Structure formats: C-alpha cells, structure tokens
Amino acid sequence: AGKKEMLEHLQVKTEINVNDSTRYNVSLEGTQVKDVFMEYGGSAHSHFSRNTESVKNYFELLADVDNYPIYYHCRIGTDRTGLIAILVNGVLGVSINEIYQDYLFSNFANLASFISRIAFA
C-alpha cells in the first residue's frame, strides 16, 4: 500500500539510497534509483567527514529538478538519512534548535525491534 501511495499519489520519480549497499532499495517500478553510498559508524564528526563526497553527490541530485519528487533513505532512517535531513533543513534556513528537536524524535523509535526484523529478512 505504501509503494502504491508513493507512485500514484506522491508520484515519486527518484529514489536516492544513502545506505552502504543496494540491499534496502525500494526500487519502485518506473522510478530511477540513484545510489549515493555513505559509510556508517563512528562519531558524528567522522561520520560527516568520511562522507563528504557522498553528500556532495546527494546535493547534485537534489539540485536537478528533473529528479523530483525524490524519496531518499538509508537502512533505518536515523543516521545517514538524518544527516542529509539536517543539512537540507539547514540550507532551507531552519533554525539549529528546530533541527535538533526534530532529530531527537529518532530517540523514540524502537530500533532494536526493527533491526532484528530486517536483519533476518
């Protein structure tokens, strides 16, 4: 049902994968998949510094209106996807306090349960 909503209502045209593999691509029929692999782990600073080229590649895709509407994801949706969300919000002028508060919502996710379900899929 979610895929149908993405295709028919939202009319997603491009899927950008910021995961470190293609294993979790949604690959919606009729969309183009762009892999912008990002490494995972380490401190927030090293996470960003190890992925500067990937972030640049992501923003190049974001700058091309022919890619819209865009859906982007990583594996779980907090760290790599969160980094991109923080940067996009910053570029759009969202205050650092609002960005921080928004990111804190990921603390309420039951990631342990989610990870155990997808690890054995």
Side-chain angles (χ1 to χ4, degrees), residues 97-109:
N97 287 335
E98 289 176 298
I99 291 170
Y100 181 69
Q101 288 174 356
D102 185 55
Y103 187 73
L104 286 177
F105 279 112
S106 65
N107 290 330
F108 296 107

Side-chain angles (χ1 to χ4, degrees), residues 10 20 28 30 35 39 46 52 56 59 63 69 72 75 89 95 99-100 105-106 112-113 117:
L10 299 174
D20 54 5
L28 298 169
D35 293 311
E39 292 182 43
S46 69
T52 53
K56 177 182 163 254
F59 275 91
Y72 71 99
R75 181 174 161 201
N89 281 315
S95 76
I99 291 170
Y100 181 69
F105 279 112
S106 65
S113 172
R117 284 196 313 266

